[in-house]
Amino acid sequence: MSNNEQENRISQAIVSRLPRYLRYLTELETDGVERISSRELSSIMRVTASQLRQDLNNFGGFGQQGYGYNVSYLRDEIAKLLGMNDEHFLVIIGGGRFGKILAKNMNFNNSGFVLKGIFDNDEAVIGTDIDGHIVMSMDKLSDFVRENRIEIAVLTIPKESAKAVANGLCRTGISGIWNFSHTDLDMPDNIQVENVHLSDSLMRLSYRINEYRKNHAG
Amino acid sequence: MSNNEQENRISQAIVSRLPRYLRYLTELETDGVERISSRELSSIMRVTASQLRQDLNNFGGFGQQGYGYNVSYLRDEIAKLLGMNDEHFLVIIGGGRFGKILAKNMNFNNSGFVLKGIFDNDEAVIGTDIDGHIVMSMDKLSDFVRENRIEIAVLTIPKESAKAVANGLCRTGISGIWNFSHTDLDMPDNIQVENVHLSDSLMRLSYRINEYRKNHAG
DNA sequence: TAGATTGTTAATCGATTAACAATC
DNA sequence: TAGATTGTTAATCGATTAACAATC
């Protein structure tokens, strides 16, 4: 067990850009493009070629001087970095509306995210069928996570109970939480948290609309 | 019509933090806290007091030396900045699964976002009832936006048709697009775009889980 | 080989943090 | 007034961009 958390420390800004790179490279591959230079790709993606090369070079020399990057190879390397070549088992916690929609759309693009179970603590929901999954009681969560090698818990419960449920998750051996609850979670280092706060996103849009209007007011 | 888009230019980093400030201040207000210092608030939010004060001072002197900030006042000022004291009319474009869930959950926290209509170009969906809204044909969108002073279009259509639909939206007088389609949109300056790419978010989580494991491998 | 384009170092820019004078 | 805490300037840090030597 190495204790060196600093090695290979990649900034969040760079990690955030990786999925977008993957998306464009996948499209290029689909279109049959074999090779591409940083200049071409950066122009398509509207970023600087410098940033593109800097970003990629954090992970290794994926290109070749005088040639550029092989699209398929680069795409695959980024896919690997993002764990897209492995399977990831998930559970959804919260069988409400949002949980349902995620249950039905989880395996997007044949990426390896596999929904293994749905949990809820509402007696009225437990036992019901959501897209082929029988909703289970929260009591069973801990055992289920262990037995099914669950990696990620998707939190789609109201913010009131989110912190308590998240704390309970700490002892189950989960590796990450995809948090749709509208609250911040305070997890130990060994559990990664990715927040999706939809209302925050809508507010940012609202801010920018406002701002544009102010700056262009008659 | 001023042409000076530079005035009051606030960085995206700061704008991104505003909804979180609003969230914490709303909680404090609910808890009956009257005043708070930047040091206290920053400690609760796990940011630096310096950043907090710098951020707020981009918008005005909301505090008072020797006293701190009045929670209700500060909360209200940030709410105003984010347009939370005004009504915003929306339409959802795409009556599929995701459109449905958003339709049912749009008016979160009594914020002023009001869903006015749902549109789709699938004949099988047009005319159906989603949470009290009869799905309309895309032909009617342009007139509807004008007549109902629609500000924001929520795009929940497959990526294949997203760019075409977005281009059509340019001429309707819409101010912003909340884009759930998994593709980048290229809009003119007068239309703000906020992307929600859920699969990107999940990939970032997957990356960080991977990274943590690598750095702590046996 | 000559031309192209990367990988990488150096320069710039912007965002965060620290410090402190202003002031309630 | 004295103490507290802001608003704001200055210092630091990190991220982006530019430049170019290495190399395919």
Side-chain angles (χ1 to χ4, degrees):
Chain A
M1 170 91 65
S2 153
N3 202 27
N4 185 358
E5 296 194 41
Q6 255 57 277
E7 58 175 288
N8 281 338
R9 199 82 207 135
I10 304 292
S11 80
Q12 268 314 295
I14 295 170
V15 176
S16 287
R17 289 193 286 266
L18 291 179
R20 189 158 177 266
Y21 292 151
L22 181 62
R23 182 145 40 91
Y24 277 85
L25 287 163
T26 303
E27 264 174 38
L28 286 165
E29 192 184 33
T30 305
D31 293 349
V33 178
E34 251 182 47
R35 59 167 282 259
I36 197 161
S37 70
S38 58
R39 204 173 60 73
E40 283 178 279
L41 182 54
S42 68
S43 131
I44 295 171
M45 295 189 65
R46 294 167 182 269
V47 295
T48 63
S50 235
Q51 179 169 77
L52 199 48
R53 292 205 300 276
Q54 284 278 24
D55 282 358
L56 297 177
N57 265 90
N58 280 291
F59 304 103
F62 295 147
Q64 201 167 75
Q65 283 99 330
Y67 172 84
Y69 298 88
N70 177 291
V71 170
S72 294
Y73 174 72
L74 182 58
R75 199 215 80 93
D76 199 53
E77 289 298 316
I78 294 176
K80 267 190 226 160
L81 285 171
L82 292 168
M84 290 302 98
N85 288 0
D86 307 313
E87 276 198 320
H88 303 278
F89 297 156
L90 298 88
V91 291
I92 289 177
I93 302 180
R97 286 169 177 172
F98 214 86
K100 270 189 193 128
I101 192 81
L102 285 177
K104 288 176 182 167
N105 290 284
M106 191 49 73
N107 193 14
F108 51 83
N109 292 339
N110 300 315
S111 59
F113 296 100
V114 181
L115 177 61
K116 286 290 192 173
I118 305 179
F119 292 82
D120 205 300
N121 52 18
D122 181 351
E123 289 296 334
V125 178
I126 294 167
T128 62
D129 185 309
I130 296 180
D131 209 48
H133 297 273
I134 307 298
V135 178
M136 291 173 270
S137 161
M138 291 290 287
D139 309 338
K140 310 233 173 81
L141 182 60
S142 214
D143 287 344
F144 190 90
V145 165
R146 218 168 302 116
E147 284 160 22
N148 292 276
R149 296 183 299 122
I150 302 297
E151 208 175 289
I152 296 171
V154 186
L155 269 201
T156 60
I157 53 180
K159 66 170 184 293
E160 288 72 24
S161 46
K163 273 181 215 282
V165 169
N167 287 339
L169 280 169
C170 288
R171 283 175 297 278
T172 61
I174 217 98
S175 300
I177 296 179
W178 201 22
N179 177 36
F180 287 79
S181 299
H182 197 211
T183 190
D184 296 327
L185 305 176
D186 203 9
M187 294 288 110
D189 279 358
N190 62 323
I191 300 184
Q192 313 303 313
V193 178
E194 168 83 13
N195 292 310
V196 181
H197 293 328
L198 289 183
S199 56
D200 288 16
S201 169
L202 188 50
M203 286 184 203
R204 283 192 284 270
L205 177 59
S206 168
Y207 175 91
R208 295 215 308 272
I209 291 173
N210 251 340
E211 187 192 45
Y212 182 87
R213 261 190 217 135
K214 267 183 222 155
N215 291 342
H216 294 78
Chain B
M1 170 94 62
S2 152
N3 202 27
N4 184 356
E5 295 194 43
Q6 255 58 276
E7 59 174 288
N8 281 339
R9 200 78 209 138
I10 305 291
S11 80
Q12 268 313 296
I14 295 170
V15 175
S16 288
R17 288 192 288 264
L18 291 179
R20 189 157 177 266
Y21 292 151
L22 181 63
R23 182 145 42 91
Y24 277 84
L25 287 163
T26 302
E27 264 174 40
L28 286 165
E29 193 183 33
T30 305
D31 293 348
V33 178
E34 251 182 45
R35 60 167 282 261
I36 196 160
S37 69
S38 59
R39 205 174 59 75
E40 282 178 280
L41 183 53
S42 69
S43 131
I44 297 171
M45 295 188 65
R46 292 166 186 270
V47 297
T48 64
S50 235
Q51 180 170 74
L52 198 49
R53 293 206 299 277
Q54 284 277 25
D55 281 358
L56 297 177
N57 266 90
N58 280 291
F59 304 103
F62 295 146
Q64 202 168 74
Q65 283 98 332
Y67 172 84
Y69 299 88
N70 177 293
V71 170
S72 293
Y73 174 73
L74 182 56
R75 198 214 81 94
D76 199 53
E77 289 299 317
I78 294 176
K80 268 189 224 158
L81 285 171
L82 292 169
M84 291 302 96
N85 289 358
D86 308 313
E87 277 197 319
H88 303 277
F89 297 156
L90 297 89
V91 291
I92 289 176
I93 303 181
R97 286 168 178 172
F98 214 86
K100 269 189 194 130
I101 192 83
L102 285 177
K104 287 175 182 170
N105 291 284
M106 191 48 73
N107 194 14
F108 50 83
N109 291 339
N110 300 316
S111 61
F113 296 100
V114 182
L115 178 60
K116 287 289 194 174
I118 304 179
F119 292 82
D120 206 299
N121 53 19
D122 181 350
E123 289 297 333
V125 179
I126 294 167
T128 61
D129 185 308
I130 296 181
D131 208 49
H133 295 273
I134 306 298
V135 178
M136 290 174 271
S137 161
M138 290 290 289
D139 308 338
K140 309 232 172 83
L141 182 60
S142 213
D143 288 344
F144 190 90
V145 165
R146 219 170 298 115
E147 284 160 21
N148 293 275
R149 297 183 298 121
I150 302 298
E151 208 174 288
I152 296 170
V154 185
L155 270 202
T156 59
I157 54 181
K159 66 170 186 293
E160 288 72 25
S161 47
K163 273 181 215 281
V165 169
N167 288 338
L169 280 169
C170 289
R171 283 175 297 277
T172 60
I174 216 98
S175 300
I177 296 179
W178 201 21
N179 178 36
F180 287 80
S181 299
H182 198 211
T183 190
D184 296 326
L185 304 176
D186 203 9
M187 294 287 110
D189 279 357
N190 62 323
I191 300 184
Q192 313 304 313
V193 178
E194 168 82 13
N195 293 311
V196 181
H197 294 328
L198 289 183
S199 56
D200 288 16
S201 169
L202 188 50
M203 285 184 206
R204 284 192 283 271
L205 177 58
S206 167
Y207 176 91
R208 296 215 306 272
I209 291 173
N210 251 339
E211 187 191 44
Y212 182 86
R213 258 187 222 139
K214 266 185 225 157
N215 291 341
H216 293 77

